[in-house]
Amino acid sequence: MSEDRTLPRAYEPAEVEKKWFPVWEKKNCFHGTAKSAKPGYSIVIPPPNVTGILTLGHVLNNTLQDILCRRARMQGKEVIWFPGTDHAGIATEARVVKFLKEKENVTRDELGREEFIRRVWQWREEFGGKIIRQLRTLGCSCDWERERFTMDEGLSEAVKRVFVSLYEKGYIYRGQRMINWCPAAKSALSDEEVIYKDVPGKFYYFRYPLADGSGYLLIATTRPETMFGDTAVAVHPDDPRYKHLIGKTVKLPLTSREIPIVGDQHADPTKGTGCVKITPGHDPNDFEVGRRHNLEVINIMNPDASLNDKCPAEFVGLDRFTARDLCVKKMEELGLLEKIEEITHSVGYSERGNVPIETLVSSQWFCKMGELAKPAIEAVRSGKIKFYPERWSKTYFHWMENIQDWCISRQLWWGHRIPAYYNDDNGEIYVGINPPTAPGKWRQEEDVLDTWFSSWLWPFSIMGWPENTEELKKFYPTNDLVTGPDIIFFWVARMIMAGEEFLGDIPFRNVYFTSIIRDDLGRKLSKSLGNSPDPLDVIATYGADALRFSIVYIAPVGMDIRYSNEKCEIGRNFANKLWNACRFRQMQGDVSALGGKKLPDGMLSGDESWMVAKLDAAIESIEKELANYRFHGAAHALYDLVWSDFCDWFVEAEKLPLRAGGAERERALAVLDWTLFNILKLLHPFMPFITEELAHRMGFVADDEMLDFTGYPTVSGIAVDPALISKIDGKFELVRGGRFLRASYNIADGKKLNFHIEAQDGAALEFLASQSDSLKNLLNAESITLTQEAYDTANGAAPSHLCALGTIRLPLAGLIDVAAEVAKLEKQRADLVKWIKSTEGRLANEKFVQSAPPQVVADSRAKLAELQEKLTRTDELIQSLK
């Protein structure tokens, strides 16, 4: 074996991971072509924001996509994983505005639109797309030559064509409607961009005096500052308390206006005072009441949510919350504040701006979604598109069947500018791909499109649509989509609608929704809580492969992930285990003549047949798990195969034929190589760096060959007697029992012991006799007595362990002082009983259970269970010595 292939004693992931990505790229491993005769397989990356940096959510999502892509390549498919980034209108504009203010002390408006956009492109070139570079560190096998950006020329052309097409069909229109407004971004938002949070608030009870001086109406509001937009008070038409007042007016406090009392079903006599202030300009329900009663719509807000000149002079220009406080103060001074109640209520927040939104009436561009939704609903209902986990289809249907018009305009400069033009001479509106050529003074719409208006075209615009490209012919629809359930409405549903509308076909066949990652306490990861680790720091500590494997291993389908950095020990220890197994094999000499490519001819030993059967079962299990998007199950099957079946049992069992030499040794080496190579190939989609390194170091692949193209493992096709496998399992069970007995009495692993095995029957005795050398090797036994006779207790204490093939005993004579051991165990038992009683008492105390932190109570319960388990085990040990 050449020196440069020898594996170092310790695995250093940083060196290995730094080495292989440039090699893969140089060899063009990730580039797919439509000209290939291979069957196509494609995925589009959920385009991260150009402002984004790698998070653990990205790690999980992109690791799963990489597993699917690498497996597909190994299965002989022509794979394209399309990468790219999203221009992220609101987030990017806010980031660049802040950057320019800090660096140059200049504002967006001072620069002007054209110069500001130029600066955003400049910022994008210098700082944007960092996350794409970070994905390489993770090992993502995207077709990087095909990286796209949602503001690229081709994608921008697609956006314009879609807008014009939908406008011409009557789906896109401009109208005045109640919309969500983000005061931070000074832009409209779609309903899906509003996050509702339960927050503390107050109900303010105000008296609105009747204009005739006969009394007042008591109304309750959480937003006193909006009273300046009130244009009515509503009562239920059948409410006996107020129906005689319908048609009268009240004086609107702090103003000189009088507003009518209207009868409307919106006022619920059973809630609050039964009187509702109606503010059509700032509440969607009030807007509808206003339409029914022909009420004036008054917008009292500036774009930054300060109060405008529709309000009394002393309120103009005040921040909405400052205005609220002043309003309450003034009402109290006038004797019109009856009371204030502390409440918790649901408030809509801007997803990007993280500030409470305002609802207001505004002229915006909208897209009718009802007709677009119909084929998209059918695509999922018919099974053309499958959701994993399937339960997300219920969420999808509920939203799609109640879909509202989409507010698609945003009051930003960064984004796809709406291709609509206004003729100031005659009021004509023109919508087209190219600017108008007709006479007149034309100006383009200032607003840009919602970021998602380009993202919903991603699966086909990234392949060159509206041109009928070769990529579209071969790779559309894509096979799989891996994404978070939080964007099922923003993105998934809209992509299905766009695919059906513009290509007449679904955009993907399967959608896998990832889990939400939380910390060990169940909290969502966030910078403010300090519980959101930087994945690059985790990779520096544990390695990319360790992070990838660990996060999949702890991610059960459809359930939240409880993450901590320490859990990456799973992947790191697993990588070390694999590395050491390969080192052991290297120490036995060069790779066998078969090179791990096939099994040796002729009869295999029982242990070797067992390993073949275990590997075949694992291949079938892993394939089934991945075919059903149960990545977590596949990771566990791999872990058990490598750690338990291969390393713990097979490698140890094969040490006997390896020592024997000759044909036995050659056969053992060939089976070890075949198993190891298949393991590396099975693991490659999950842990690409270490498997590539080991495959080359071991000599399983040539220098110019890459694992992605070596073929995905399939079952051996060798018929193995199930009865034999069951017996080998039984042998290993006896070994586990013997090791357990050794550990129970703290006897050193290196000390050779005498064991006594009582076989279950004659067939078991015959089989175990044929395995006596193997048993001695695995148990590190001086001798093993094999018999069907019961153990004679006159020979001293011999604790036992019952197994399928019989009972294994460990005679203790000469090993320990039995009387002293019993005394020690009796003392341990007394201590355990005392601790159990104390813990039970604490948990029986209702005050402790109710007032202590939940984690403390949970820890106490876990401790009690642990103590009770120890007591049971101690009793068993005492009994075994008597």
Side-chain angles (χ1 to χ4, degrees):
M1 180 179 295
S2 58
E3 188 62 33
D4 62 335
R5 287 188 183 271
T6 304
L7 289 167
R9 178 178 292 276
Y11 172 51
E12 298 293 343
E15 292 179 17
V16 169
E17 290 166 7
K18 183 181 177 182
K19 167 184 173 181
W20 281 108
F21 206 89
V23 175
W24 292 328
E25 287 203 296
K26 185 178 179 182
K27 292 186 175 295
N28 227 16
C29 290
F30 308 149
H31 182 61
T33 173
K35 296 176 182 178
S36 172
K38 297 177 184 177
Y41 177 90
S42 59
I43 288 184
V44 295
I45 197 171
N49 289 351
V50 69
T51 58
I53 58 171
L54 197 66
T55 66
L56 285 173
H58 292 122
V59 168
L60 174 63
N61 188 301
N62 287 281
T63 295
L64 299 182
Q65 290 175 81
D66 199 37
I67 289 169
L68 292 171
C69 287
R70 288 183 183 271
R71 168 171 159 263
R73 278 191 208 96
M74 296 180 78
Q75 289 174 329
K77 295 173 184 173
E78 188 68 16
V79 175
I80 298 183
W81 179 8
F82 292 90
T85 49
D86 192 285
H87 67 278
I90 293 176
T92 304
E93 184 155 318
R95 178 73 66 87
V96 177
V97 164
K98 183 181 178 184
F99 175 80
L100 291 171
K101 188 67 177 173
E102 290 174 352
K103 296 293 182 183
E104 302 179 32
N105 195 28
V106 65
T107 67
R108 183 191 83 150
D109 293 338
E110 287 169 347
L111 287 172
R113 183 170 195 143
E114 189 176 331
E115 177 60 18
F116 177 74
I117 291 173
R118 189 184 73 79
R119 296 293 191 94
V120 179
W121 277 105
Q122 190 179 64
W123 180 91
R124 185 246 177 183
E125 291 303 315
E126 190 171 351
F127 301 106
K130 183 179 180 181
I131 190 168
I132 291 294
R133 295 188 292 274
Q134 293 173 328
L135 288 174
R136 295 167 183 256
T137 306
L138 190 63
C140 294
S141 62
C142 296
D143 190 342
W144 297 106
E145 295 176 32
R146 297 180 182 274
E147 183 185 339
R148 301 300 298 272
F149 180 49
T150 52
M151 290 282 284
D152 283 352
E153 186 177 342
L155 275 68
S156 296
E157 181 71 13
V159 168
K160 283 194 286 187
R161 282 182 177 268
V162 164
F163 185 93
V164 172
S165 171
L166 293 176
Y167 179 81
E168 290 174 348
K169 289 186 76 168
Y171 289 177
I172 285 180
Y173 64 95
R174 183 169 173 80
Q176 271 222 334
R177 286 208 13 211
M178 180 66 64
I179 53 101
N180 306 301
W181 185 265
C182 173
K186 299 177 188 173
S187 175
L189 301 174
S190 68
D191 292 343
E192 293 73 38
E193 291 169 295
V194 178
I195 307 298
Y196 286 89
K197 301 179 184 180
D198 288 332
V199 296
K202 294 176 181 178
F203 253 138
Y204 301 90
Y205 288 80
F206 290 156
R207 297 173 179 175
Y208 279 25
L210 291 164
D212 62 10
S214 62
Y216 61 84
L217 292 181
L218 188 64
I219 62 97
T221 180
T222 59
R223 303 170 67 211
E225 70 281 4
T226 64
M227 67 186 296
F228 302 123
D230 290 359
T231 53
V233 172
V235 297
H236 195 279
D238 299 325
D239 191 332
R241 295 172 296 174
Y242 307 118
K243 65 180 181 180
H244 65 287
L245 297 175
I246 294 170
K248 294 191 175 186
T249 60
V250 295
K251 292 181 178 179
L252 182 62
L254 308 182
T255 75
S256 58
R257 290 193 290 124
E258 289 185 16
I259 56 176
I261 301 168
V262 299
D264 196 278
Q265 302 277 348
H266 174 58
D268 186 342
T270 66
K271 290 184 178 178
T273 66
C275 301
V276 182
K277 65 190 282 295
I278 301 300
T279 319
H282 292 281
D283 182 276
N285 293 316
D286 293 2
F287 180 72
E288 295 303 320
V289 175
R291 289 174 65 172
R292 289 195 288 271
H293 296 275
N294 199 28
L295 300 174
E296 183 183 2
V297 176
I298 302 174
N299 179 4
I300 65 163
M301 297 280 182
N302 291 314
D304 63 355
S306 62
L307 271 60
N308 64 24
D309 58 9
K310 298 288 177 63
C311 306
E314 61 187 314
F315 288 89
V316 175
L318 291 182
D319 170 77
R320 54 184 165 161
F321 300 117
T322 304
R324 180 177 299 177
D325 294 339
L326 180 59
C327 187
V328 174
K329 180 172 179 284
K330 292 286 184 183
M331 292 292 280
E332 188 172 22
E333 289 172 354
L334 292 171
L336 299 177
L337 172 65
E338 182 151 313
K339 63 178 179 176
I340 301 174
E341 284 181 359
E342 301 286 337
I343 62 167
T344 297
H345 61 152
S346 182
V347 175
Y349 276 71
S350 165
E351 185 195 33
R352 292 292 179 202
N354 196 30
V355 295
I357 62 151
E358 289 295 331
T359 48
L360 49 86
V361 175
S362 174
S363 289
Q364 301 287 338
W365 289 89
F366 297 89
C367 184
K368 297 175 184 176
M369 305 302 286
E371 289 302 312
L372 293 171
K374 288 177 182 177
I377 291 169
E378 181 57 25
V380 176
R381 181 160 282 136
S382 67
K384 279 175 70 180
I385 297 176
K386 291 184 169 60
F387 284 177
Y388 299 86
E390 195 276 332
R391 62 185 171 86
W392 286 111
S393 61
K394 294 177 184 175
T395 306
Y396 174 84
F397 290 135
H398 177 75
W399 185 73
M400 292 288 277
E401 288 164 358
N402 297 279
I403 198 165
Q404 303 296 309
D405 288 1
W406 176 12
C407 177
I408 57 175
S409 49
R410 297 292 180 269
Q411 288 63 53
L412 303 169
W413 285 353
W414 175 243
H416 296 97
R417 195 167 176 179
I418 292 174
Y421 301 82
Y422 304 96
N423 190 325
D424 291 336
D425 295 336
N426 58 20
E428 182 185 352
I429 298 177
Y430 166 84
V431 171
I433 294 170
N434 301 308
T437 56
K441 186 180 178 182
W442 293 94
R443 58 181 172 83
Q444 188 175 356
E445 168 67 68
E446 293 287 325
D447 291 353
V448 301
L449 287 161
D450 179 8
T451 295
W452 297 102
F453 198 88
S454 52
S455 301
W456 76 325
L457 314 178
W458 188 248
F460 51 89
S461 65
I462 204 171
M463 296 189 200
W465 187 89
E467 299 300 323
N468 187 23
T469 64
E470 294 303 312
E471 282 77 11
L472 278 168
K473 293 174 187 175
K474 187 173 182 70
F475 294 104
Y476 187 91
T478 63
N479 296 76
D480 298 312
L481 177 73
V482 179
T483 189
D486 53 326
I487 55 175
I488 188 172
F489 310 133
F490 284 119
W491 196 45
V492 177
R494 288 172 181 161
M495 282 191 290
I496 298 172
M497 288 187 269
E500 291 281 11
E501 173 70 12
F502 298 106
L503 278 87
D505 201 353
I506 56 176
F508 31 71
R509 297 184 179 90
N510 305 288
V511 183
Y512 177 79
F513 293 105
T514 57
S515 307
I516 295 171
I517 304 178
R518 301 182 182 274
D519 66 12
D520 266 346
L521 299 178
R523 303 174 301 176
K524 285 190 79 170
L525 302 185
S526 72
K527 288 182 181 177
S528 60
L529 290 174
N531 66 348
S532 182
D534 182 341
L536 295 182
D537 291 340
V538 180
I539 288 172
T541 303
Y542 297 95
D545 280 335
L547 174 57
R548 287 169 60 118
F549 188 83
S550 300
I551 206 162
V552 176
Y553 187 88
I554 64 172
V557 175
M559 295 172 62
D560 291 353
I561 298 171
R562 295 295 183 96
Y563 176 87
S564 66
N565 282 351
E566 291 70 31
K567 288 182 179 174
C568 289
E569 295 281 356
I570 296 168
R572 180 164 68 181
N573 293 342
F574 186 57
N576 287 335
K577 188 82 167 178
L578 183 65
W579 186 267
N580 288 332
C582 288
R583 280 190 71 239
F584 169 78
R585 171 58 191 90
Q586 265 199 355
M587 290 174 188
Q588 311 309 311
D590 287 342
V591 69
S592 66
L594 297 174
K597 304 293 192 300
K598 57 179 290 192
L599 285 166
D601 295 329
M603 183 73 72
L604 302 180
S605 71
D607 292 331
E608 289 156 0
S609 296
W610 178 88
M611 189 67 249
V612 169
K614 292 294 180 183
L615 182 56
D616 280 351
I619 289 169
E620 288 184 331
S621 171
I622 292 162
E623 183 55 32
K624 184 178 179 181
E625 295 294 303
L626 291 178
N628 288 282
Y629 303 90
R630 293 191 294 258
F631 300 94
H632 159 267
H636 278 256
L638 276 164
Y639 187 92
D640 292 343
L641 171 70
V642 176
W643 196 290
S644 178
D645 295 339
F646 183 69
C647 294
D648 285 357
W649 293 114
F650 185 60
V651 170
E652 291 302 311
E654 287 297 88
K655 287 179 180 178
L656 206 61
L658 288 174
R659 286 196 292 266
E664 273 191 77
R665 177 181 173 82
E666 291 306 311
R667 188 192 66 228
L669 289 172
V671 178
L672 278 167
D673 288 344
W674 178 80
T675 309
L676 254 182
F677 189 28
N678 276 286
I679 281 172
L680 294 177
K681 289 193 285 185
L682 283 171
L683 260 176
H684 183 63
F686 292 78
M687 305 176 82
F689 294 107
I690 189 173
T691 51
E692 194 78 77
E693 176 77 359
L694 290 172
H696 283 81
R697 291 262 197 170
M698 297 298 293
F700 295 146
V701 294
D703 289 344
D704 61 348
E705 194 179 7
M706 297 292 121
L707 269 185
D708 263 15
F709 304 101
T710 54
Y712 197 68
T714 55
V715 294
S716 66
I718 294 175
V720 178
D721 181 6
L724 174 61
I725 304 310
S726 179
K727 288 176 182 176
I728 299 292
D729 281 332
K731 176 181 74 170
F732 292 149
E733 184 190 14
L734 282 166
V735 173
R736 272 193 297 272
R739 290 174 178 175
F740 176 76
L741 293 171
R742 179 191 287 270
S744 297
Y745 298 98
N746 299 314
I747 300 169
D749 290 341
K751 184 174 179 61
K752 289 195 176 292
L753 302 177
N754 299 312
F755 287 94
H756 184 100
I757 297 177
E758 299 159 17
Q760 183 188 34
D761 54 32
L765 181 63
E766 183 181 354
F767 170 74
L768 291 173
S770 73
Q771 300 290 313
S772 60
D773 288 342
S774 177
L775 284 165
K776 285 176 68 175
N777 170 52
L778 293 168
L779 284 165
N780 191 26
E782 183 70 40
S783 68
I784 295 177
T785 302
L786 291 169
T787 180
Q788 281 186 263
E789 305 298 323
Y791 177 77
D792 187 352
T793 55
N795 294 325
S800 63
H801 195 90
L802 180 63
C803 302
L805 290 180
T807 301
I808 185 167
R809 292 181 178 275
L810 176 61
L812 294 175
L815 292 174
I816 63 169
D817 183 331
V818 175
E821 184 69 16
V822 170
K824 183 181 79 173
L825 290 169
E826 293 283 10
K827 183 180 183 309
Q828 284 179 8
R829 187 184 191 285
D831 289 341
L832 286 167
V833 169
K834 181 175 66 177
W835 295 335
I836 288 170
K837 189 175 180 181
S838 170
T839 308
E840 285 176 335
R842 190 183 310 117
L843 288 168
N845 184 336
E846 236 175 88
K847 188 177 178 183
F848 166 76
V849 173
Q850 290 176 356
S851 61
Q855 191 60 44
V856 172
V857 176
D859 289 345
S860 295
R861 289 189 171 125
K863 184 66 177 174
L864 177 61
E866 183 186 340
L867 290 169
Q868 289 169 332
E869 188 180 338
K870 284 183 177 178
L871 180 62
T872 300
R873 179 65 193 135
T874 302
D875 284 340
E876 289 172 354
L877 287 172
I878 292 170
Q879 189 61 37
S880 72
L881 294 174
K882 289 185 175 177

